Amino acid sequence: RQISSAKSSGLASSSSSASGVAAPCSVSSQRRAIGGALSLAAIAGRRGGAAPLRSVCRINKRQLWSRLVRSTRAPNAWRVRDEDFSPPTNWQLRRHAVNAAIPMVGFGFMDNVIMIQAGDYIDSTLGVTLGLSTLTAAAFGQVVSDVSGTLFGNTIDHIAARSGLPTAKLTDSQRRMRRVRLAGMAGAVGGVIVGCLLGMTTLLFKDLGKNERLRRQREMSTLFSTLMQEGHELIGAEHCTLQLVDTDGEHLFSHGMRGKPPTEEEMWGAFRAYDSGSSGSVDAMELSAALRALGWSTNPSQAEKMIASVDVEGDGQLTFAQFSSLLRSAILSDEVRITVRVGGTRHHVLTTGEMLNVVDVRRHPLCSYEVYRLRGYEMRSLLIGPVFGDDGAVVGLVELVNKTGADGQPDPSGFHRDDERMLQMLCSHCSIFLKNLSGD
């Protein structure tokens, strides 16, 4: 009864009760009425016994307060304003989507660039050494990318926040709306896609087939060391090299040279050929021009890096000793990608599929003696045999240079018919090995 009377007193003001007219009460009046009801209930419990107090205390105070407030509050009390629930405009949705997309563009770009660079490095080092697959290397690259995203994520958010983009000016209630959440999600997804596509542009500047060639070169080490080293000794040639055709059909990958090392006299001849200005040294322009004549895709900046690897003085010039060291290490030993010269000896074998035997390179129309001087050794005779694939196309070349006799001295008559048959057998073995290699 006391609580009911408190509710009645809360529903009417003191001035209106005298006149009998009910009016909505204020929040403060409601709280005073509820507090008075609780006090009266406590007093009645002390005077009349413990039962009324216990009956009041059985009701949780917070629940009682909530019930009384709901029953006594005015219709418009504590109501959220209607304008907070107004739907966002299209302009706000677009701004919200753009603000969500900008940082995700940075995330996507950073994620893809780091993953590609790290995965490629792992693939070309650990992948080749340990025999890891490309997908495994890519997974390791993704780990590095995710760690970088965790470390630098706040930095990207900070940069995006300071970019000066206008905000959508959404209220908290509008941000909870479904259409606003969908607009933000669409912007974030679009930003990630754009960022990843921008990060993929680094693939345009990478040699995508390099790692596969490194794997293939490692797997071919047995073939190269056995067939090339022992084969040229059986045939009787000073130099021997294996060259594989690139996928474009216009380039060859020369896997170094086996055989007799160049003499100092031959190196002096090559040095004079490179030193076109007769200055007594070879600069980057001369080195680049000579390598391009050999079929290398080399520019002056790359030539400068090659010179810097052996240039102790740092003057950008190659002396004879430095030139000899560079020619033996970088040119005669490493894998080299060379362009097939149209109308040359290699081009003839690739296009015809026939073996070519040149007795004297100075007089043969397919030979360019001035270019041969740049190789670092004297060339007299030449024998080139094709290596065929499963489809009958030429997939490689075996090149023998300078026929020698039984005493190890140069043979002026060049390679013989028996040498051609031996080279044909050597090329067949190379073809079988490459077939099994591709099958694995």
Side-chain angles (χ1 to χ4, degrees):
R1 286 195 305 270
Q2 294 159 351
I3 294 175
S4 298
S5 62
K7 291 171 62 177
S8 300
S9 63
L11 293 173
S13 62
S14 59
S15 59
S16 60
S17 60
S19 59
V21 179
C25 63
S26 62
V27 176
S28 58
S29 300
Q30 296 172 18
R31 293 180 176 176
R32 287 195 299 271
I34 293 172
L38 293 175
S39 300
L40 290 175
I43 295 172
R46 288 195 296 269
R47 291 179 178 181
L53 181 60
R54 285 197 301 269
S55 63
V56 175
C57 294
R58 287 193 188 100
I59 303 176
N60 185 277
K61 185 176 182 180
R62 186 180 299 276
Q63 294 178 352
L64 179 61
W65 186 280
S66 177
R67 292 176 185 176
L68 291 175
V69 168
R70 283 199 303 269
S71 62
T72 59
R73 68 183 179 184
N76 295 326
W78 304 341
R79 182 173 296 175
V80 181
R81 292 178 299 175
D82 293 338
E83 58 268 18
D84 290 344
F85 290 99
S86 60
T89 63
N90 293 333
W91 180 88
Q92 288 178 305
L93 293 176
R94 288 195 298 269
R95 287 297 182 187
H96 183 60
V98 171
N99 289 334
I102 293 301
M104 300 311 295
V105 171
F107 279 116
F109 179 79
M110 182 187 69
D111 183 80
N112 237 14
V113 168
I114 295 178
M115 185 192 69
I116 291 173
Q117 300 298 327
D120 180 69
Y121 179 77
I122 295 173
D123 192 26
S124 61
T125 53
L126 295 178
V128 175
T129 304
L130 303 179
L132 302 178
S133 64
T134 303
L135 287 178
T136 304
F140 280 111
Q142 184 64 46
V143 172
V144 177
S145 176
D146 291 342
V147 172
S148 301
T150 303
L151 295 176
F152 302 105
N154 293 333
T155 303
I156 295 178
D157 287 334
H158 181 69
I159 294 174
R162 298 188 61 181
S163 61
L165 291 175
T167 60
K169 299 179 180 180
L170 296 171
T171 63
D172 294 337
S173 301
Q174 288 175 331
R175 292 182 183 277
R176 292 192 293 269
M177 293 183 179
R178 185 170 182 269
R179 66 173 64 182
V180 176
R181 295 198 303 269
L182 290 177
M185 182 181 298
V189 170
V192 167
I193 294 175
V194 172
C196 290
L197 293 177
L198 292 176
M200 290 174 61
T201 56
T202 57
L203 295 174
L204 300 176
F205 309 99
K206 299 186 72 65
D207 186 0
L208 301 181
K210 178 181 178 181
N211 297 335
E212 187 63 29
R213 292 196 306 271
L214 290 175
R215 286 192 179 89
R216 194 173 183 182
Q217 183 182 12
R218 182 178 178 84
E219 293 170 347
M220 290 178 60
S221 59
T222 303
L223 169 69
F224 190 67
S225 60
T226 303
L227 295 181
M228 297 300 101
Q229 184 68 31
E230 299 179 1
H232 86 89
E233 293 177 355
L234 293 175
I235 297 175
E238 291 184 355
H239 309 288
C240 178
T241 182
L242 173 65
Q243 300 164 354
L244 299 180
V245 181
D246 196 3
T247 54
D248 59 5
E250 298 179 356
H251 295 82
L252 293 172
F253 288 98
S254 177
H255 294 268
M257 183 192 71
R258 291 294 183 271
K260 175 186 173 183
T263 63
E264 185 174 357
E265 182 180 355
E266 290 175 332
M267 295 301 295
W268 269 110
F271 181 75
R272 297 187 186 96
Y274 277 75
D275 184 17
S276 58
S278 301
S279 61
S281 62
V282 177
D283 58 17
M285 294 297 296
E286 293 172 337
L287 180 61
S288 176
L291 293 179
R292 285 199 302 269
L294 287 173
W296 287 39
S297 300
T298 309
N299 53 44
S301 61
Q302 294 172 333
E304 289 177 357
K305 294 180 180 179
M306 296 176 66
I307 293 176
S309 64
V310 295
D311 184 14
V312 180
E313 295 82 3
D315 56 357
Q317 303 288 328
L318 288 176
T319 62
F320 173 73
Q322 296 167 351
F323 172 80
S324 301
S325 175
L326 178 63
L327 193 64
R328 287 189 173 94
S329 61
I331 300 177
L332 299 180
S333 298
D334 295 343
E335 180 194 51
V336 179
R337 186 173 187 262
I338 56 178
T339 304
V340 179
R341 182 173 60 89
V342 178
T345 55
R346 295 165 179 165
H347 182 262
H348 174 79
V349 178
L350 288 175
T351 54
T352 63
E354 299 176 355
M355 189 174 298
L356 178 63
N357 190 347
V358 179
V359 178
D360 190 355
V361 297
R362 293 174 181 264
R363 296 186 175 90
H364 200 280
L366 296 178
C367 298
S368 176
Y369 184 71
E370 294 299 325
V371 175
Y372 290 159
R373 291 179 60 199
L374 302 174
R375 291 194 178 188
Y377 50 87
E378 182 72 18
M379 289 187 62
R380 297 179 299 274
S381 56
L382 179 66
L383 180 62
I384 304 177
V387 178
F388 295 99
D390 293 338
D391 56 354
V394 179
V395 297
L397 302 175
V398 177
E399 185 178 273
L400 301 174
V401 179
N402 296 340
K403 171 64 178 177
T404 58
D407 56 354
Q409 298 299 318
D411 189 347
S413 61
F415 293 94
H416 306 150
R417 180 60 181 170
D418 292 339
D419 299 329
E420 294 180 3
R421 286 193 289 266
M422 288 288 294
L423 179 59
Q424 186 176 5
M425 182 179 64
L426 182 63
C427 292
S428 299
H429 281 80
C430 292
S431 178
I432 294 172
F433 186 89
L434 292 175
K435 178 181 178 180
N436 294 333
L437 185 62
S438 60
D440 294 339

